[in-house]
Amino acid sequence: MKKAVIVLSGGLDSTTCMGIAQEEGYDLYPITFHYGQRHNREVIQAQKIAQYYNVKDHIIVNINFLNQIGGSALTDETLEVPTEGVSDEIPVTYVPARNMIFLALASAYAEVIGAEAIYIGVSAVDYSGYPDCRPEFIQSMNETINLATKAGTTGEKIAIKAPLISMTKKETIETGLRLNVPYELTTSCYNGEEEACGKCDSCLLRLKGFQEAGAKDPIAYKK
Ligand code: ZN
């Protein structure tokens, strides 16, 4: 069976990618990064999601951004997570070059296990502030990983798939609901507590997406 590496954060988008890759006939090989985000809820939920999909292998790779590289409210404890809603500027929750680093490591794993695809749940629509969520970046990174790997240079090219790139959150959720994606196991809140805050950018986007899709978000929010 053909294999795909899925960059699985435990969030709504990457979990939708698990459902899409499964539907497209791939054996799923999720890779989760513990990069020093403030909380480890994402990693715990990613493990539950991997179990739900009954994967053969789920790897968790440690990279420490926290207070070393920092540069983001998610990886620097001196920066606050904003609750002002979505603006036009690149938000402080942007983690410097995160998707480039994740895709580089995912391509190394893909080469070793002989996977032909890497799925990443980026969207250029609802997260347009993040430079590493744009189609130009994904295309360029795809060329780069094929130049950098033995697989790429011997003809076994690796394809980066970003099926959500031009989807709104509403469309992503509609796709996921059709594929029975376990949204009750996903986490989006930047604060990573038992109940989502409902106020950070990530919570707001998620809630808006479910509302527009005419569905109820199955996770718990603070009253
Ligand atoms: Zn939140």
Side-chain angles (χ1 to χ4, degrees):
M1 199 173 182
K2 55 185 186 171
K3 297 175 182 175
V5 172
I6 322 292
V7 178
L8 179 65
S9 71
L12 186 149
D13 297 325
S14 64
T15 306
T16 305
C17 283
M18 292 282 283
I20 294 172
Q22 186 184 55
E23 191 193 43
E24 290 177 353
Y26 286 97
D27 228 353
L28 309 177
Y29 287 81
I31 181 170
T32 298
F33 296 99
H34 196 188
Y35 60 91
Q37 53 275 59
R38 289 182 167 204
H39 51 82
N40 64 357
R41 174 160 297 275
E42 286 181 343
V43 177
I44 293 164
Q45 295 310 116
Q47 286 172 309
K48 291 180 186 168
I49 293 157
Q51 269 171 19
Y52 173 92
Y53 281 99
N54 221 354
V55 305
K56 292 192 189 85
D57 204 10
H58 174 211
I59 62 166
I60 296 164
V61 175
N62 286 294
I63 334 166
N64 192 12
F65 270 72
L66 185 67
N67 300 333
Q68 288 189 330
I69 295 177
S72 166
L74 304 189
T75 56
D76 181 337
E77 288 170 320
T78 66
L79 298 173
E80 291 279 321
V81 173
T83 53
E84 262 104 73
V86 184
S87 80
D88 290 339
E89 287 177 21
I90 296 176
V92 71
T93 49
Y94 160 70
V95 178
R98 177 173 56 183
N99 287 339
M100 185 169 72
I101 294 163
F102 286 3
L103 284 170
L105 291 163
S107 69
Y109 185 45
E111 172 163 76
V112 171
I113 64 170
E116 60 183 64
I118 299 169
Y119 282 76
I120 184 161
V122 295
S123 168
V125 182
D126 281 339
Y127 278 92
S128 53
Y130 292 3
D132 56 353
C133 290
R134 294 175 303 158
E136 304 91 295
F137 162 67
I138 297 297
Q139 195 188 348
S140 162
M141 192 66 191
N142 206 157
E143 285 167 27
T144 299
I145 64 171
N146 281 310
L147 290 170
T149 52
K150 187 172 93 183
T153 50
T154 54
E156 313 266 307
K157 287 197 187 293
I158 299 167
I160 300 179
K161 295 185 180 234
L164 314 179
I165 195 107
S166 53
M167 286 192 199
T168 61
K169 200 60 98 190
K170 167 184 181 267
E171 292 166 334
T172 295
I173 290 167
E174 286 170 346
T175 303
L177 291 174
R178 181 172 59 77
L179 298 172
N180 292 318
V181 168
Y183 286 134
E184 69 280 5
L185 300 178
T186 63
T187 181
S188 301
C189 183
Y190 288 140
N191 295 302
E193 287 168 24
E194 185 77 26
E195 295 179 318
C197 79
K199 288 178 184 166
C200 69
D201 285 2
S202 187
C203 279
L204 292 174
L205 271 167
R206 178 180 174 120
L207 285 166
K208 182 168 163 274
F210 272 97
Q211 192 186 24
E212 288 175 358
K216 192 184 178 310
D217 187 349
I219 64 164
Y221 285 87
K222 276 185 191 152
K223 288 284 178 287

